Amino acid sequence: MQPHGYVALVTIAALLTYLWMMVRVGQARAKCGISAPAMVGDPLLERTIRVHYNTLEALPVFLASLWLFAIYWNDLVAAGLGVVWIVGRIVYALGYFADPGKREAGFMIQFAATAVLLFGALGRIVWSLAVVGA
């Protein structure tokens, strides 16, 4: 059995990044004076909520791709790509917090990492099924 300790650590780091974004929502609510369940009313709060939700939307594809890549290819390479994804999400978040127009670089970084993980895993799975049959 191939160990997946590096991918496990990256998974925890990605979840901690997501929790950091969740805390930022609470901080933005306090700063803007807008209590839950309100979602609008101040651009800072709205941007912070979007960063949080956009990351939540990206997490399932990223995490599934990360683990499948680790299983079918290599744990260390998957972990490295996972770190790139986390850096991309942080760059995305910091850009979006400041100005929605500054989110593109971070988005492209994390999108590229996800694409390599997803299509790398897909390619290896298809290859394995075609060549090995299992």
Side-chain angles (χ1 to χ4, degrees):
M1 182 169 132
Q2 182 181 4
H4 299 294
Y6 293 115
V7 169
L9 288 174
V10 168
T11 298
I12 297 297
L15 295 174
L16 289 172
T17 302
Y18 178 70
L19 289 175
W20 166 71
M21 293 174 186
M22 182 175 68
V23 168
R24 292 285 305 243
V25 171
Q27 292 170 335
R29 284 188 178 285
K31 183 175 182 176
C32 300
I34 301 173
S35 299
M39 303 288 282
V40 296
D42 187 288
L44 172 65
L45 176 62
E46 293 169 14
R47 290 191 309 267
T48 306
I49 288 172
R50 285 308 316 148
V51 166
H52 182 234
Y53 284 2
N54 289 348
T55 302
L56 178 60
E57 293 163 358
L59 268 173
V61 175
F62 164 68
L63 290 174
S65 301
L66 175 73
W67 280 94
L68 289 169
F69 191 99
I71 292 166
Y72 283 91
W73 278 105
N74 181 282
D75 183 68
L76 193 54
V77 174
L81 289 165
V83 169
V84 171
W85 185 89
I86 292 168
V87 168
R89 288 314 298 184
I90 292 170
V91 170
Y92 172 86
L94 295 175
Y96 207 146
F97 293 151
D99 174 8
K102 295 180 179 178
R103 71 187 190 276
E104 188 173 328
F107 176 83
M108 294 309 293
I109 292 167
Q110 65 87 41
F111 181 80
T114 300
V116 172
L117 290 166
L118 178 65
F119 293 109
L122 174 63
R124 184 65 175 234
I125 292 166
V126 169
W127 180 84
S128 294
L129 289 171
V131 173
V132 181

